[in-house]
Amino acid sequence: MSAFSALLSRDLRLALRQSADSLTVIAFFAIATVLFPFGVGPEAEVLSRIAAGVVWVAALLAALLSLDRVFVVDFEDGTLDQLILNGQSTVLVVLAKVLAHWLTTGVPLIIMSPVLAVTLQLPSEGYGVLVLALLLGTPTVSLIGALGAALVLGARRGGVLLSLLVLPLYIPVLIFGTAAIEATITGMPSQPMLSILAGLALIAAALCPFATAAALRQAAE
Amino acid sequence: MVFAGLGFELAAGGAMVLRGPNGSGKTTLLRLMAGLARPVAGRLLWSNAPVEDPEALARRLRFIGHQDAIKTAFTVRENLAFWAAFWGTGEPALIDRAMDTFGLAALADFPARLLSAGQRHRLALARLIASPVPLWLLDEPANALDDRSTGALTNTIAEHRARGGMVVLASHGADLVTGGTTLALDNFTPTAAQQWVEL
């Protein structure tokens, strides 16, 4: 457990000292979202119709921007070898890295999302469920993203490869994430969609860390 | 295949120097012993029992390679403290001792990005003292070190062996150990008849 907390606190302190990395992601999220009112025009009906989808897509793309750095820095400076030799389990390294990624990327995106939804005229009843859906969906984004990031370690143009690998896997999260918000706005229950999002997160939590650990060991070899 | 037909053993307090030209497999052998790479064939034994749990092996060894695994945003002390906490070995007093031994005490609160290549390598080596384990695997540890630091490293290795520790190091430069065995890896370039590696 000490290895887990040591690595988690190291990653959080690193993110704090190199806060430009996290801020870039949040700035990208804000700019990508704000572009839409300029592109599709300021009509409230059009914007509120697409608001949920735009916030979700922008959040996924913003998260993607941060993913290629999850392991690559440690891989390049030799830290990854030492992390693997922790004497307990490589899965523990993966869990700490994923949690750190979620705290430094997922959580800021969740906090920013209601503000950006305002610029897209999201109907007022949608805000609560927007935050809830992101809260349930972003852990899956971090878990799957870490797997992709581990698989492309050592590859040329890893960042591009990563998006091709990972974005298709985000489709279920995107579908049920937006569907939950749409349902609430149109007066339907959102609970089934939220349950599916939670289910996706649990499946990802059960499978991804082991696959990611195997990919990391492969990359170190 | 890098080498075949290779076998050796190391007793407590023992030291082995791997010698051979570039590409003869010194780093590969060290990474095999660390469990970072897997042999095509062969066995790794600890106290005459096969190593079945690579994690248990990892708890007993420290591998210092060419890459220093240093976070430049942290200070020298923070770098050492992180690894000591991560590996769960050692105590705070050992961190100070490690910095003293490798002449880093004056730099303790400097960010690691200000360090020179030699100082960065000394910081990597200081982990050996800050987080003690029985087996040290050192890949050309004298690279980038000045004479004084090479002396400190030689003394550190001697003390470690006096306490029953073991050292395997790859080197083609100065002698860092007295006594100990030498393994010349270019004698083990594989032939078709030797498709096995015994460690």
Side-chain angles (χ1 to χ4, degrees):
Chain A
M1 206 56 202
S2 71
F4 176 85
S5 52
L7 183 54
L8 178 62
S9 87
R10 185 207 72 159
D11 269 20
L12 294 180
R13 278 184 299 144
L14 270 181
L16 210 62
R17 294 215 189 153
Q18 300 167 340
S19 52
D21 288 353
S22 297
L23 290 177
T24 315
V25 172
I26 297 163
F28 177 87
F29 182 43
I31 290 169
T33 314
V34 168
L35 282 180
F36 277 84
F38 292 110
V40 300
E43 292 86 13
E45 319 87 86
V46 182
L47 282 176
S48 64
R49 175 77 193 77
I50 61 168
V54 167
V55 171
W56 259 105
V57 170
L60 290 179
L61 293 177
L64 194 65
L65 209 61
S66 64
L67 278 173
D68 61 339
R69 294 182 60 79
V70 173
F71 295 116
V72 86
V73 185
D74 284 342
F75 177 69
E76 282 170 354
D77 70 8
T79 303
L80 189 62
D81 284 345
Q82 306 295 342
L83 292 180
I84 288 175
L85 293 175
N86 65 56
Q88 293 169 61
S89 161
T90 311
V91 174
L92 182 134
V93 172
V94 174
L95 290 175
K97 297 289 281 183
V98 168
L99 183 56
H101 178 261
W102 184 73
L103 288 173
T104 56
T105 309
V107 170
L109 292 180
I110 295 170
I111 293 170
M112 280 292 287
S113 61
V115 182
L116 293 172
V118 173
T119 68
L120 295 169
Q121 313 271 6
L122 184 76
S124 55
E125 58 271 28
Y127 288 91
V129 73
L130 168 72
V131 171
L132 201 58
L134 281 167
L135 211 54
L136 291 170
T138 43
T140 316
V141 171
S142 290
L143 284 160
I144 294 178
L147 174 56
L151 285 171
V152 301
L153 274 184
R156 249 174 357 102
R157 304 215 184 165
V160 182
L161 195 59
L162 177 64
S163 36
L164 295 179
L165 206 63
V166 156
L167 280 179
L169 296 174
Y170 285 163
I171 292 172
V173 176
L174 178 61
I175 290 174
F176 292 106
T178 46
I181 302 163
E182 300 280 327
T184 307
I185 293 170
T186 52
M188 309 271 284
S190 62
Q191 193 263 335
M193 282 67 166
L194 293 174
S195 300
I196 293 174
L197 277 180
L200 289 172
L202 290 177
I203 294 171
L207 300 178
C208 288
F210 295 98
T212 311
L216 287 182
R217 286 189 152 270
Q218 190 63 44
E221 217 169 275
Chain B
M1 191 174 296
V2 187
F3 44 71
L6 180 71
F8 60 84
E9 62 178 9
L10 192 63
M16 190 173 71
V17 181
L18 307 178
R19 292 203 181 264
N22 298 135
S24 60
K26 299 187 291 292
T27 301
T28 307
L29 182 56
L30 286 172
R31 292 180 73 86
L32 278 176
M33 293 173 71
L36 284 169
R38 264 181 290 271
V40 177
R43 289 181 305 154
L44 195 61
L45 307 170
W46 184 281
S47 301
N48 286 321
V51 174
E52 274 159 7
D53 177 10
E55 304 294 356
L57 175 69
R59 280 196 290 278
R60 292 187 286 235
L61 65 83
R62 190 74 62 234
F63 170 72
I64 306 286
H66 291 284
Q67 293 170 306
D68 295 325
I70 286 168
K71 288 295 161 202
T72 51
F74 287 155
T75 65
V76 169
R77 183 190 299 278
E78 283 171 326
N79 268 293
L80 276 176
F82 161 67
W83 287 113
F86 179 75
W87 285 317
T89 49
E91 51 217 76
L94 286 176
I95 293 174
D96 287 312
R97 233 195 87 206
M99 288 190 296
D100 279 339
T101 307
F102 285 101
L104 294 164
L107 301 167
D109 296 316
F110 280 78
R113 84 185 118 81
L114 299 177
L115 299 187
S116 72
Q119 288 168 331
R120 290 168 62 102
H121 194 55
R122 270 147 62 190
L123 175 51
L125 290 169
R127 294 202 288 261
L128 294 169
I129 297 177
S131 316
V133 287
L135 173 60
W136 293 358
L137 304 172
L138 311 177
D139 195 359
E140 305 198 8
N143 267 9
L145 290 189
D146 55 22
D147 291 345
R148 207 170 135 261
S149 310
T150 309
L153 177 61
T154 310
N155 292 339
T156 306
I157 291 175
E159 282 169 28
H160 177 62
R161 290 174 62 200
R163 283 193 305 268
M166 293 170 283
V167 180
V168 179
L169 59 92
S171 161
H172 40 223
D175 275 328
L176 293 163
V177 293
T178 48
T181 51
T182 299
L183 186 69
L185 279 171
D186 44 353
N187 295 340
F188 298 96
T189 313
T191 63
Q194 292 176 317
Q195 291 288 310
W196 52 279
V197 185
E198 189 166 29
L199 296 180

